[in-house]
Amino acid sequence: MDPTLSAAVVAGKLTSTIIRRLGRGGGTTLPGRVSARIDGRALEKLSRGLEFGAIVVAGTNGKTTTSSLLRTILEASGARVVGNRAGANLVSGLTAAVVADSRLGGGARAQVGVFEVDEASLPAVVAATSPRVVVVTNLFRDQLDRYGELETSAAAISAGLAALPAASQVILCADDPAVTYLGRGLRAGVSYFGLDDGAQGQLQLPHAADSKFCPRCGQPFDFSRVYVGHLGHYRCPTGDFERPAPDLSATGVEFSGLVSQAITVTGMGVTAEVLEVPLSGLYNTYNVLAATAAALCAEIPASTVKAALRDFHPAFGRLERVDVDGRILHLLLAKNPAGFNEVLRASRTLGQGRRFVIGVNDRIADGRDVSWIWDVDFELLADADWIVLTGDRALDMRIRLKYGGVPMARVEVAPTVAGGVDAALRLAADGEEVFILPTYTAMLELRAEMARRGYLRPFWEG
């Protein structure tokens, strides 16, 4: 027994218990800091005990959903899985997760770890966990005050991937030029996933697209198909760089409103398999592909993957549905231009949304700079029945909507999230749907208020 590690585990578990009993949250971060203060190698030591190693998910959007999909698949295969289910994706959050799941002496209870990881933390997490598989979902502008431009996030992820041994496997999004570029020169094996459904997407880049230029020569890419943001089929006109052929491809996607989708996938030993999953939106198509590719790399049978996806439940704040007194509330996290544009489009085209609550905060976890709201296509809401604004930057959003052509008579500002929930329930009639689009900390506040009222369970119990 390692006495230092044992003391770190006991201290972490005790901290978590105290936090929850005092009603101060889920204990998803501080226990990890306490444990690491006692044993700085706690995450490394506890990860060694995972029989089947660790799978790490990084990238801007989709980390939580992709990780949740992966955990569902692995648990369906019979494995016990540990992970930072509540989304605390810094080293402290991962440490808190493995401490909570370990025995008092420091022995691992789980067989495999699935961890979503903040981009800047990836090198440290790779060093500590020696992951078997690393998934990179995408790279979009996010928290500019913290990350700067995409190159900062890409450099951090690149450093983490470069440290992987040949025995590891990297799963990359073929449709994201910046992510594809990360695959060059790695010792680890590299596989790609992407969409090949010509019936989906559009022919031109949206205003908020990010990766538009060849990383080798700087020429603008030629895009023949665009799915989400800048994700699509691209080629440098000089021939320097182009989208690789995906190892796992979605050749057909069919949506059933906001309820579900059926994805026909081919590759990695699978031929025209139809995966049915209770998630909607093309951004979730990518999440399903990423999780499926990682599961197949981990030698999970395709039949297990298919059955597990059918029974999947969305992660907290990601297409959660809440029925309240006959009113249907849809909660969709939206934290940057690309993500916000996609949930707006999904709400309007797949859910026929006309009633909205938008919550925008500017806290550390959101990013202090909210100038990105001007890159979101809020003009799509010009014909909304009504919109309730809440959060720290509700008035900024009111100005943005005014310039977006939304009649101000249809916009109401609620100073608190509780007031926002009250306003939505007052304005919505029986049987009507309301789409709640919050940034990260606004989502946590909204969920906490809904949990306080008994509409939802606290996120750490999900």
Side-chain angles (χ1 to χ4, degrees):
M1 179 182 292
D2 182 332
T4 305
L5 178 60
S6 181
V9 168
V10 170
K13 288 179 178 291
L14 181 60
T15 302
S16 179
T17 299
I18 292 172
I19 290 172
R20 295 192 180 191
R21 287 188 178 177
L22 291 176
R24 300 299 298 272
T28 58
T29 299
L30 184 59
R33 293 176 182 169
V34 171
S35 295
R37 180 63 66 92
I38 296 171
D39 188 339
R41 295 175 58 206
L43 177 59
E44 177 186 350
K45 292 177 180 178
L46 292 171
S47 297
R48 285 181 194 160
L50 298 172
E51 180 182 355
F52 303 133
I55 299 175
V56 167
V57 181
T60 307
N61 292 340
K63 293 189 293 291
T64 299
T65 297
T66 300
S67 299
S68 187
L69 286 161
L70 260 172
R71 281 192 294 270
T72 298
I73 294 169
L74 290 166
E75 287 168 351
S77 75
R80 173 161 177 154
V81 185
V82 62
N84 49 337
R85 298 171 188 263
N89 57 25
L90 303 180
V91 172
S92 55
L94 272 66
T95 304
V98 293
V99 164
D101 193 70
S102 68
R103 297 183 175 87
L104 290 177
R109 297 180 187 274
Q111 296 167 295
V112 61
V114 175
F115 305 113
E116 67 162 283
V117 178
D118 171 88
E119 298 92 297
S121 300
L122 185 63
V125 170
V126 166
T129 65
S130 301
R132 175 183 179 185
V133 178
V134 176
V135 179
V136 183
T137 58
N138 49 62
L139 281 171
F140 292 110
R141 277 179 296 153
D142 190 53
Q143 299 187 47
L144 295 181
D145 54 323
R146 179 178 172 214
Y147 291 122
E149 293 300 327
L150 289 186
E151 288 79 8
T152 305
S153 296
I157 294 176
S158 181
L161 299 183
L164 293 169
S168 294
Q169 187 73 22
V170 176
I171 310 292
L172 301 177
C173 179
D175 295 353
D176 189 325
V179 171
T180 298
Y181 196 61
L182 295 172
R184 71 197 190 286
L186 298 180
R187 288 177 295 173
V190 179
S191 298
Y192 297 96
F193 63 90
L195 267 65
D196 284 304
D197 183 352
Q200 300 292 342
Q202 53 196 1
L203 298 178
Q204 293 183 335
L205 283 172
H207 168 69
D210 295 319
S211 294
K212 299 183 286 188
F213 302 98
C214 175
R216 294 188 185 277
C217 70
Q219 289 292 315
F221 281 124
D222 290 331
F223 280 85
S224 60
R225 178 64 57 178
V226 180
Y227 294 111
V228 175
H230 58 259
L231 306 189
H233 296 187
Y234 52 88
R235 181 183 182 278
C236 176
T238 68
D240 279 349
F241 191 75
E242 64 183 337
R243 173 187 185 254
D247 296 280
L248 184 71
S249 179
T251 56
V253 183
E254 294 184 9
F255 297 106
S256 296
L258 275 176
V259 177
S260 64
Q261 63 180 295
I263 308 169
T264 302
V265 298
T266 295
M268 300 181 76
V270 175
T271 303
E273 188 74 71
V274 178
L275 305 178
E276 297 176 355
V277 57
L279 289 171
S280 195
L282 278 176
Y283 55 96
N284 277 319
T285 307
Y286 279 107
N287 296 334
V288 173
L289 281 174
T292 300
L296 293 174
C297 276
E299 302 180 352
I300 305 298
S303 58
T304 301
V305 174
K306 184 173 182 177
L309 292 178
R310 256 195 320 263
D311 297 331
F312 176 73
H313 297 287
F316 71 96
R318 282 82 171 173
L319 267 178
E320 278 188 293
R321 171 181 165 139
V322 188
D323 295 345
V324 181
D325 298 329
R327 298 158 180 82
I328 302 167
L329 311 183
H330 297 282
L331 189 58
L332 299 94
L333 173 68
K335 62 190 184 76
N336 50 42
F340 227 119
N341 280 336
E342 290 310 309
V343 297
L344 277 176
R345 290 192 177 92
S347 301
R348 296 307 307 267
T349 61
L350 300 176
Q352 291 78 51
R354 299 186 64 85
R355 294 160 292 276
F356 293 86
V357 176
I358 299 176
V360 177
N361 283 349
D362 60 352
R363 301 174 194 176
I364 294 296
D366 306 294
R368 296 291 194 186
D369 182 355
V370 296
S371 61
W372 58 266
I373 64 176
W374 292 90
D375 285 332
V376 179
D377 298 332
F378 287 114
E379 287 75 10
L380 292 171
L381 302 183
D383 64 346
D385 291 345
W386 51 261
I387 301 171
V388 175
L389 302 177
T390 189
D392 302 336
R393 303 305 287 266
L395 296 181
D396 295 75
M397 269 304 310
R398 190 175 187 275
I399 294 171
R400 174 66 184 93
L401 293 182
K402 180 177 181 178
Y403 279 92
V406 178
M408 289 296 96
R410 300 179 192 168
V411 177
E412 181 173 325
V413 175
T416 65
V417 294
V421 174
D422 289 336
L425 296 178
R426 168 172 49 82
L427 292 168
D430 186 47
E432 288 187 337
E433 294 182 306
V434 178
F435 293 84
I436 303 177
L437 314 180
T439 58
Y440 184 71
T441 64
M443 181 267 289
L444 294 181
E445 286 185 291
L446 283 160
R447 281 196 96 268
E449 178 61 23
M450 291 181 183
R452 187 186 68 78
R453 299 183 186 199
Y455 304 157
L456 287 168
R457 292 188 303 172
F459 68 86
W460 58 85
E461 295 180 4

